[in-house]
Amino acid sequence: MTVTLPSVHLRAIEPEDLDMLYTIENDTSMWNVGTTSVPYSRYTLYEYIANSKNDIYTDRQVRMMIENDAHEVVGIVDLTNFEPKHMRAEIGIVIINKFRKQGLAQATIRKIKEYSLNVLHLHQLYAYVDKDNSQSIRLFEKCGFKRSAELKDWLSYGKTYHNALLMQLFL
């Protein structure tokens, strides 16, 4: 059964995205899925936008805004920890709460997979997912990622630790 996914468009971050970036980066409910543990100032994020070359070879990462067909920003997708020698990058995705459960994350991963293969010529994408985050695990599996390893006490949530799954997709 083929699922029809919504259209998404990926674009570079613009100065006008500062407020959206500020909101997403400072949402403490999402800090447990990334490496952020302190709030970012508007100035720091402005400097990031202003100084980013938007070149994965220079920045070792690329961050793009996700838009729907109505040109509303619905989230952000990142390729980070780029390793040019091994042609791999870590993927991260955030869909804003009001746009979740619409297939946008799956459509975005499909789009970033195409970009990673056809433009960046990557060999693989990978993600670390909390073993208890069944929603994210299902999403990545729907997109072709496979569980490769379980990493013990990989993620820290204050005084507790959670296991993470390393999920890989070979392009």
Side-chain angles (χ1 to χ4, degrees):
M1 178 179 178
T2 303
V3 176
T4 303
L5 296 173
S7 294
V8 293
H9 312 282
L10 305 180
R11 63 166 177 79
I13 295 179
E14 299 289 347
E16 303 81 56
D17 296 317
L18 179 61
D19 288 338
M20 178 66 66
L21 190 61
Y22 181 83
T23 299
I24 290 172
E25 291 292 347
N26 290 308
D27 182 348
T28 57
S29 70
M30 291 193 287
W31 284 4
N32 64 334
V33 297
T35 57
T36 300
S37 59
V38 295
Y40 284 99
S41 69
R42 286 188 192 293
Y43 179 77
T44 298
L45 294 171
Y46 173 81
E47 287 288 307
Y48 167 78
I49 293 170
N51 294 319
S52 174
K53 304 295 181 228
N54 218 25
D55 174 4
I56 198 165
Y57 284 91
T58 302
D59 298 334
R60 292 292 195 250
Q61 69 176 355
V62 65
R63 173 174 274 185
M64 291 184 265
M65 304 305 287
I66 308 163
E67 291 185 341
N68 62 14
D69 273 339
H71 299 290
E72 299 171 291
V73 173
V74 300
I76 299 175
V77 63
D78 298 311
L79 293 177
T80 60
N81 297 318
F82 171 60
E83 265 301 327
K85 179 178 179 181
H86 304 292
M87 298 308 292
R88 67 176 175 239
E90 183 177 351
I91 183 173
I93 183 170
V94 174
I95 301 294
I96 299 165
N97 282 338
K98 73 178 187 176
F99 293 106
R100 291 184 182 165
K101 299 184 190 261
Q102 299 176 26
L104 294 163
Q106 191 174 351
T108 299
I109 292 174
R110 181 179 290 171
K111 181 86 69 174
I112 202 76
K113 278 170 40 177
E114 292 169 9
Y115 174 78
S116 297
L117 178 64
N118 299 323
V119 177
L120 300 176
H121 308 291
L122 295 183
H123 172 63
Q124 71 173 290
L125 295 175
Y126 65 93
Y128 297 106
V129 181
D130 185 319
K131 186 179 179 189
D132 297 329
N133 189 339
S134 57
Q135 221 174 354
S136 289
I137 293 167
R138 266 194 314 278
L139 168 66
F140 282 106
E141 287 179 335
K142 280 183 193 176
C143 295
F145 285 73
K146 304 286 185 219
R147 300 175 194 203
S148 295
E150 183 171 334
L151 305 164
K152 304 291 183 202
D153 289 351
W154 195 256
L155 304 169
S156 170
Y157 303 147
K159 295 184 181 192
T160 63
Y161 290 87
H162 289 235
N163 293 356
L165 297 175
L166 170 60
M167 303 190 72
Q168 292 176 286
L169 174 70
F170 295 93
L171 303 169

